[in-house]
DNA sequence: GGATTGAGCCGTTCCTGGAG
DNA sequence: CTCCAGGAACGGCTCAATCC
């Protein structure tokens, strides 16, 4: 027995069955910009020393070690990296885990997060939370997509109370558990001797529901903090410590009976949760409140904001003037808001700079809204209480009626005796947009099966409708057109928000796919008039967006518009055959969003010209990629000439060396990593094979035997054959 | 330095269609 | 019908460009 009193070592040794069992470790920066995560591996007996001496060289992702060793303790304290270990045995990724060492949960009492619908609501909730005195910090945040949420961090005292309550409540279940205390909660471990990999996830799920612990903490290769190291995420550093020791190692049977593990109950809980998570599309919106356990959600329907506003607009006047759409906007913006609103009275008395009114958007008895003249705009309406604000009557009308921008302009124009007429160019455009709408209603499946294949899935038809409609209501001006079509812009985040998507990346890839197919075209940057690229003009455009968002005054936000993608909508009916051809090609070549929707992948699959259409930056295909591709091609050639076929798996497991030219011009031989080989194969296999080979997927045992595959499993394998 | 954007890589989770 | 590999979605992280 060792005589040292190293607690971290003692802790880890509980998890292993022998002194030379391996442990995988990882460090993560606790704070933003704190560097990269690093990986380490140690046998247990290497750690049988004071933790200030624990150190080694980190292992990079490609398996090679880093240049200098890292002393974990000082790295943890000075560089503020958290120090974690992979609880289960085998490796640091899920597929490498071979043995379950323990069941574990992570409970967190430090924070609460509430999602709300508007900044006003967020501020109100934040105020209420602050008043309770239970929180150390209450923050109103806004996601990139414009959703508001309130994060609140409990005071130390509250965290302590919650911790005690939690331990008391579950003392029976934790009787034979290892309990580790973190700043915000606990890591609870139950050592286990004979749990299968497949059972692990089910039991973890049960524990998550039973103890309302962090739902993320259930993966096989989960890392948790090592005791004795310091947790420095918050202001005060906290040393992770072991509260309760145990050497009890459960068998699965003992565990399931002593903790009353019940899988059916888990399924019921899951169903309940699913119902709560269901969100309405389009018409209804819901509010989610997530408490600090991250699991209990209450969902309420929100009001249709603005519908009940106590505001009335003036009646239309007889037409005295006919103007174009953009002229009408100018005219409306140049007039005071009171020209359009009959109630409340928003006129500013002569000689005064502003007027105060009772806000029509909330129950307001003491005037908390004001109408004033700003430097950049004729008039601005802004409520200090509920923070509804607009820069002209257009915004007010849109908030009240939820009309589109175009309809709003038309109706407001009518109120001042103006009729909006279309120019010839606008009429042509309207036809395209209308035709496109109709095009989507047709029986596309029969007429254009490949086109249909791509647009029928994953709500892509919704993207098409949305972008087409967006074009039709954002007609800028004839002088700003490309190929005689209306040019409009859209940011990915904005589309994401409008279409209720969860990730900008998904939106981006979908839009790229639609561009690739040919439904839209990106306008090359050199064709965008200089004045539209200038800040001032972009601000003008942004104000429109801001109105559509019905958000508070967008003065700040209007300063941030840079990389904008400009699009034109094609005439889909005219191009349907070409789109169908492209869709056919993509399917034939085995196009996949995951693998090919990037410049290198698409260039390899479809050629440079098409790739440039979708990705306009001047990224080049990596030289390295080409070299490795040549090598792989050679292997396929020789293999097929020798045995008549080539298994893709074999190519991946082969050691391949290829030449690269380093930055100083020297040539060097490099060993291809697995990932590099995989990249080349997934991204460009079909293109490097020329026309003489085909790739076949084989799954049945008999067929696999033909290719010398003897393993008794149902795994699909890929083989390259002569055509 | 902070914010924001498009774009990249990588790993996990959810879902589906085809093989058996 | 079941099962599972692969595709799509999602989320974490980085990076460069760009502006205040």
């Amino acid at each position: 027995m060792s005589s040292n009193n190293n607690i971290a070592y003692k802790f880890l040794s509980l998890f292993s069955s022998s002194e030379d069992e391996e442990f995988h470790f990882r460090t993560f920066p606790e704070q933003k910009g704190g560097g990269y995560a690093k990986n380490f591996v140690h046998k247990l007996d290497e750690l049988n020393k004071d933790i200030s001496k624990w150190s080694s060289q980190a292992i990079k992702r490609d398996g090679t070690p880093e240049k200098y060793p890292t002393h974990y303790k000082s790295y943890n304290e000075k560089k503020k990296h958290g120090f974690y270990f992979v609880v289960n045995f085998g490796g640091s990724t899920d597929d490498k885990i071979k043995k379950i060492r323990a069941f574990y949960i992570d409970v967190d009492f430090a924070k609460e997060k509430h999602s709300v619908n508007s900044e006003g609501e967020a501020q109100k909730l934040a105020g209420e939370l602050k008043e309770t005195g239970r929180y150390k910090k209450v923050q109103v945040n806004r996601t990139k997509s414009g959703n508001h949420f309130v994060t609140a961090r409990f005071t130390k005292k509250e965290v302590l109370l919650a911790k005690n309550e939690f331990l008391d409540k579950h003392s029976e279940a934790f009787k034979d558990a290892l309990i580790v205390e973190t700043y915000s909660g606990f890591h609870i471990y139950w050592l286990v001797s004979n749990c299968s990999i497949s059972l692990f996830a089910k039991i973890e799920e049960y524990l998550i529901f039973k103890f309302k612990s962090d739902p993320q903490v259930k993966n096989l290769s989960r890392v948790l903090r090592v005791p004795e190291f310091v947790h420095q995420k918050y202001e005060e550093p906290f040393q992770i410590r072991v509260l309760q020791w145990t050497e009890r190692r459960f068998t699965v049977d003992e565990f399931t009976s002593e903790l009353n593990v019940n899988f059916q109950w888990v399924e019921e809980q899951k169903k309940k949760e699913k119902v709560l998570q269901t969100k309405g599309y389009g018409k209804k919106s819901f509010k989610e409140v997530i408490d600090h356990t991250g699991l209990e959600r209450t969902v309420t329907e929100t009001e249709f904001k603005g519908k009940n506003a106590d505001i009335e607009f003036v009646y239309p006047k007889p037409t005295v003037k006919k103007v174009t759409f953009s002229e009408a906007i100018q005219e409306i913006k140049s007039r005071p808001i009171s020209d359009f609103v009959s109630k409340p009275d928003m006129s500013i008395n002569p000689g005064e700079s502003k007027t105060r009114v009772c806000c029509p958007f909330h129950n307001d008895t003491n005037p908390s809204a004001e109408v004033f003249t700003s430097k950049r705009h004729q008039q601005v309406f802004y409520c200090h209480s509920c923070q509804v604000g607009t820069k002209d009557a257009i915004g007010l009308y849109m908030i009240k009626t939820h009309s589109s921008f175009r309809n709003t302009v038309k109706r407001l124009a009518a109120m001042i005796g103006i009729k909006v007429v279309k120019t010839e160019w606008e009429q042509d455009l309207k036809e395209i947009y209308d035709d496109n709408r109709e095009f989507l209603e047709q029986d596309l499946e029969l007429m254009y099966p490949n086109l249909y294949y791509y647009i029928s899935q994953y709500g892509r038809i919704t993207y098409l409708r949305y972008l087409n409609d967006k074009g039709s209501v954002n007609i800028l001006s004839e002088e700003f057109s490309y190929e005689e079509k209306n040019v409009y812009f859209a940011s990915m985040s904005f589309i994401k928000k409008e279409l209720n998507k969860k990730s900008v990346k998904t939106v981006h890839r979908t839009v790229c796919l639609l561009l690739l197919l040919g439904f839209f075209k990106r306008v090359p940057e050199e064709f965008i008039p200089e004045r539209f690229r200038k800040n001032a003009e972009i601000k003008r455009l942004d104000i429109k967006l801001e109105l559509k968002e019905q958000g508070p005054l967008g003065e700040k936000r209007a300063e941030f518009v840079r990389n904008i993608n400009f699009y034109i909508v094609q005439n889909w009916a005219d191009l349907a055959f070409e789109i169908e051809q492209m869709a056919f090609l993509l399917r034939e070549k085995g196009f996949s969003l995951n693998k090919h929707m990037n410049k290198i992948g698409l260039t390899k699959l479809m050629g440079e010209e098409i790739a440039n259409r979708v990705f306009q930056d001047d990224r080049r295909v990596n030289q390295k990629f080409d070299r490795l591709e040549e090598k792989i091609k050679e292997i396929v050639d020789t293999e097929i000439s020798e045995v008549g076929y080539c298994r893709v798996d074999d190519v991946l497991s082969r050691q391949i060396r290829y030449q690269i030219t380093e930055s100083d011009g020297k040539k060097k031989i490099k060993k291809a990593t697995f990932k590099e080989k995989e990249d080349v194969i997934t991204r460009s296999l079909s293109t490097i094979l020329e026309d003489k080979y085909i790739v076949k997927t084989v799954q049945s045992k008999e067929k696999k035997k033909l290719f010398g595959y003897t393993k008794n499993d149902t795994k699909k394998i890929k083989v390259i054959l002569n055509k």
Side-chain angles (χ1 to χ4, degrees):
Chain A
M1 275 299 284
S2 154
S3 62
N4 86 60
N5 57 359
N6 178 350
I7 290 175
Y9 167 76
K10 187 179 155 198
F11 174 79
L12 291 174
S13 61
L14 290 172
F15 289 82
S16 78
S17 47
S18 80
E19 278 291 300
D20 49 52
E21 192 170 309
E22 271 184 357
F23 280 82
H24 283 250
F25 298 90
R26 205 172 299 163
T27 65
F28 287 114
E30 303 264 30
Q31 272 141 16
K32 260 194 174 177
Y36 299 83
K38 293 181 174 183
N39 290 320
F40 307 90
V41 188
H42 285 285
K43 284 183 178 169
L44 183 61
D45 62 358
E46 291 166 27
L47 302 174
N48 192 356
K49 58 187 172 194
D50 195 90
I51 61 170
S52 63
K53 297 200 177 94
W54 287 17
S55 72
S56 81
Q57 268 141 318
I59 300 131
K60 290 193 224 164
R61 267 184 173 157
D62 62 6
T64 58
E66 273 199 357
K67 207 169 172 186
Y68 302 105
T70 304
H71 284 80
Y72 309 146
K73 194 70 180 121
S74 64
Y75 199 71
N76 167 239
E77 283 165 5
K78 289 178 192 148
K79 265 228 151 188
K80 299 198 175 182
H81 271 228
F83 191 65
Y84 297 77
F85 78 115
V86 181
V87 181
N88 290 323
F89 171 78
S92 56
T93 53
D94 284 358
D95 59 325
K96 287 189 182 131
I97 298 299
K98 293 191 187 74
K99 193 180 87 186
I100 305 298
R101 287 173 174 149
F103 300 126
Y104 40 82
I105 57 170
D106 176 8
V107 279
D108 190 339
F109 304 109
K111 282 188 290 195
E112 263 185 355
K113 184 178 166 184
H114 304 269
S115 298
V116 292
N117 294 305
S118 67
E119 192 178 348
E121 218 173 291
Q123 295 290 1
K124 201 178 144 204
L125 179 63
E128 286 168 10
L129 292 179
K130 270 180 200 162
E131 266 180 32
T132 64
R134 298 176 61 209
Y135 301 89
K136 187 173 196 171
K137 204 171 176 187
V138 180
Q139 260 184 317
V140 172
N141 294 313
R142 193 181 160 173
T143 60
K144 282 179 191 170
S145 57
N147 296 324
H148 292 89
F149 59 92
V150 180
T151 49
R153 249 174 59 212
F154 286 101
T155 59
K156 211 173 170 183
K157 191 182 151 201
E158 285 292 328
V159 176
L160 213 61
L161 284 173
K163 278 181 176 177
N164 286 336
E165 193 190 328
F166 181 76
L167 286 189
D168 279 353
K169 191 174 164 192
H170 299 297
S171 58
E172 183 59 24
F174 297 164
K175 197 173 54 170
D176 290 315
L178 262 173
I179 303 179
V180 171
E181 187 181 5
T182 65
Y183 174 84
S184 45
F186 303 107
H187 296 160
I188 316 277
Y189 300 86
W190 292 269
L191 301 170
V192 61
S193 58
N194 64 338
C195 179
S196 70
I197 302 286
S198 54
L199 188 61
F200 176 77
K202 289 186 79 176
I203 291 189
E204 283 292 304
E205 254 177 11
Y206 168 76
L207 295 174
I208 286 165
F209 277 99
K210 183 173 166 82
F211 298 108
K212 292 177 182 168
S213 58
D214 183 345
Q216 305 280 326
V217 183
K218 64 175 173 193
N219 54 324
L220 286 164
S221 59
R222 168 62 54 170
V223 289
L224 289 170
R225 290 177 187 272
V226 180
E228 293 296 282
F229 284 83
V230 184
H231 180 173
Q232 306 201 62
K233 208 165 180 174
Y234 304 116
E235 298 86 10
E236 320 140 61
F238 184 92
Q239 189 167 38
I240 311 296
R241 55 184 183 154
V242 183
L243 273 195
Q244 179 176 295
W245 292 90
T246 180
E247 288 186 14
R248 165 114 192 245
R249 196 172 286 273
F250 287 83
T251 64
V252 173
D253 287 346
E254 284 166 4
F255 187 80
T256 46
S257 77
E258 284 177 42
L259 275 98
N260 307 317
V261 177
N262 180 344
F263 296 130
Q264 205 181 337
W265 177 76
V266 174
E267 290 310 310
E268 284 164 19
Q269 297 301 308
K270 269 190 181 170
K271 264 184 203 160
K272 273 191 204 165
E273 205 188 351
K274 271 221 162 126
V275 172
L276 287 176
Q277 279 182 339
T278 307
K279 284 188 179 173
Y281 288 100
K283 283 171 193 162
K284 288 176 183 172
S285 61
F286 293 89
K287 178 168 86 174
E288 265 183 322
V289 179
I290 304 171
D291 77 356
H292 66 279
T293 65
L295 273 174
E296 284 172 11
R297 296 177 170 86
T298 54
V299 182
T300 53
E301 201 173 329
T302 56
E303 285 171 47
F304 179 55
K305 190 176 156 193
K307 185 179 69 176
N308 300 319
D310 190 13
I311 179 168
E312 279 168 24
F313 291 85
V314 301
Y315 288 112
K317 291 191 176 71
T319 304
V320 292
K321 201 158 76 169
K322 288 181 179 177
V323 299
T324 65
F325 186 68
S326 48
E327 284 165 344
I329 297 172
Q330 294 305 315
E331 182 71 34
I332 293 167
K333 287 192 170 176
S334 70
R335 294 194 181 216
I337 292 177
S338 54
D339 278 13
F340 304 90
V341 179
S342 59
K343 183 190 164 190
D345 183 6
M346 291 190 176
S347 50
I348 300 173
N349 288 331
E352 285 177 19
S353 64
K354 61 182 176 185
T355 183
R356 293 190 85 93
V357 290
C358 283
C359 174
F361 294 102
H362 73 281
N363 201 358
D364 193 12
T365 46
N366 196 20
S368 52
E370 57 184 40
V371 179
F372 59 95
T373 310
S374 81
K375 277 181 201 163
R376 274 196 291 148
H377 307 96
Q378 180 72 9
Q379 277 191 4
V380 176
F381 168 88
Y382 186 67
C383 171
H384 293 280
S385 173
C386 68
Q387 302 188 21
V388 171
T390 77
K391 296 180 187 83
D392 44 48
I394 301 175
L396 278 184
Y397 192 86
M398 283 174 75
I399 298 170
K400 166 77 184 172
T401 62
H402 273 215
S403 304
S404 71
F405 183 72
R406 212 174 166 80
N407 282 338
T408 299
V409 171
K410 276 191 205 162
R411 289 186 195 138
L412 291 177
M415 291 175 200
I416 49 173
I418 287 174
K419 191 172 168 60
V420 179
V421 290
K422 286 197 175 71
T423 62
E424 206 175 304
W425 178 74
E426 283 174 334
Q427 261 161 4
D428 288 349
L429 282 178
K430 185 178 180 295
E431 263 173 41
I432 296 182
Y433 293 125
D434 288 350
D435 286 355
N436 283 348
R437 259 178 226 123
E438 258 175 50
F439 176 76
L440 293 182
E441 302 304 320
Q442 291 174 53
D443 194 350
L444 296 172
E445 190 171 7
L446 270 177
M447 294 158 70
Y448 312 104
N450 295 298
L451 178 154
Y452 182 79
Y453 168 81
Y454 279 113
I455 68 167
S456 61
Q457 314 165 16
Y458 305 102
R460 283 176 195 153
I461 236 165
T462 319
Y463 280 85
L464 285 172
R465 282 205 190 99
Y466 171 76
L467 289 169
N468 187 56
D469 289 349
K470 188 169 167 59
S472 73
V473 295
N474 284 288
I475 294 174
L476 295 178
S477 84
E478 191 170 350
E479 59 179 301
F480 182 34
S481 61
Y482 178 66
E483 294 183 354
E484 295 180 4
K485 293 198 183 76
N486 175 42
V487 172
Y488 65 96
F489 67 89
S491 91
M492 297 298 150
S493 336
F494 191 76
I495 302 175
K496 177 204 142 193
K497 193 181 142 200
E498 292 274 289
L499 295 187
N500 217 356
K501 298 285 168 187
K502 282 182 189 156
S503 140
V504 179
K505 261 181 280 192
T506 307
V507 174
H508 174 245
R509 286 201 297 196
T510 312
V511 171
C512 284
L513 176 65
L514 297 175
L515 281 166
L516 173 62
L517 286 166
F519 286 98
F520 305 95
K521 240 185 182 180
R522 250 183 202 159
V523 181
E525 207 169 312
E526 61 266 30
F527 286 96
I528 298 167
E530 185 59 32
R531 66 185 190 92
F532 276 93
R533 280 187 272 173
K534 278 185 194 160
N535 246 353
E537 281 306 316
I538 288 175
K539 268 180 200 163
R540 191 179 70 80
L541 298 171
D542 196 48
I543 288 160
K544 275 194 201 170
L545 272 187
E546 203 56 37
L547 286 170
K548 290 199 79 175
E549 282 183 83
Q550 309 141 24
L553 284 180
E555 307 237 356
K556 264 190 192 165
R557 203 190 161 277
E559 291 162 15
F560 291 107
V561 181
R562 237 129 270 145
N563 308 329
I564 297 176
N565 294 306
F566 288 87
Y567 303 99
I568 58 171
V569 177
Q570 300 282 45
N571 192 330
W572 300 340
D574 280 2
L575 286 176
F577 185 69
E578 282 168 42
I579 298 175
E580 170 70 9
Q581 283 282 309
M582 177 60 85
F584 173 76
L585 264 179
L586 288 177
R587 283 184 81 176
E588 197 189 43
K589 296 197 171 188
F591 170 84
S592 131
L593 267 193
N594 244 354
K595 290 169 190 162
H596 305 109
M597 203 37 99
N598 56 65
K599 194 151 190 188
I600 295 175
L602 202 55
T603 308
K604 283 290 160 189
L605 193 73
M606 303 300 294
E608 204 172 334
E609 197 203 322
I610 289 173
N612 281 336
R613 228 190 276 165
V614 181
F615 301 100
Q616 294 192 339
D617 56 4
D618 49 8
R619 195 168 292 114
R620 298 257 179 273
V621 174
N622 203 331
Q623 238 198 17
K624 177 168 98 175
F625 198 88
D626 279 338
R627 292 273 159 75
L628 187 54
E629 204 180 81
E630 267 172 41
K631 284 280 177 181
I632 288 181
K633 209 169 126 190
E634 277 173 30
I635 293 175
V636 174
D637 275 338
T638 49
E639 196 81 351
I640 293 188
S641 66
E642 278 168 19
V643 288
Y645 60 85
C646 171
R647 292 179 350 201
V648 171
D649 278 1
D650 289 348
V651 182
L652 278 173
S653 56
R654 283 276 280 271
Q655 282 209 13
I656 307 176
R657 285 162 209 273
Y658 62 97
Q659 198 186 55
I660 51 164
T661 314
E662 293 201 319
S663 50
D664 54 11
K666 276 183 192 164
K667 303 216 163 168
K668 204 181 150 188
I669 301 289
K670 193 180 174 296
K671 210 170 101 185
T673 64
F674 188 83
K675 179 71 195 138
E676 283 170 344
K677 288 182 277 188
E678 208 181 22
D679 263 12
V680 170
I681 288 182
T682 52
R683 285 185 186 165
S684 68
L685 188 60
S686 55
T687 54
I688 61 177
L689 292 182
E690 297 170 358
D691 287 339
K692 47 182 181 170
Y693 305 130
I694 51 162
V695 186
K696 242 185 146 178
T697 310
V698 186
Q699 187 166 17
S700 74
K701 276 178 211 162
E702 291 73 28
K703 279 184 189 165
K704 283 200 292 193
K705 256 186 202 167
L706 291 177
F707 303 110
Y709 197 84
T710 49
K711 267 190 198 168
N712 190 19
D713 60 21
T714 53
K715 213 181 134 195
K716 289 179 193 172
I717 60 158
K718 275 190 177 156
V719 214
I720 306 164
L721 297 169
N722 269 318
K723 218 170 193 174

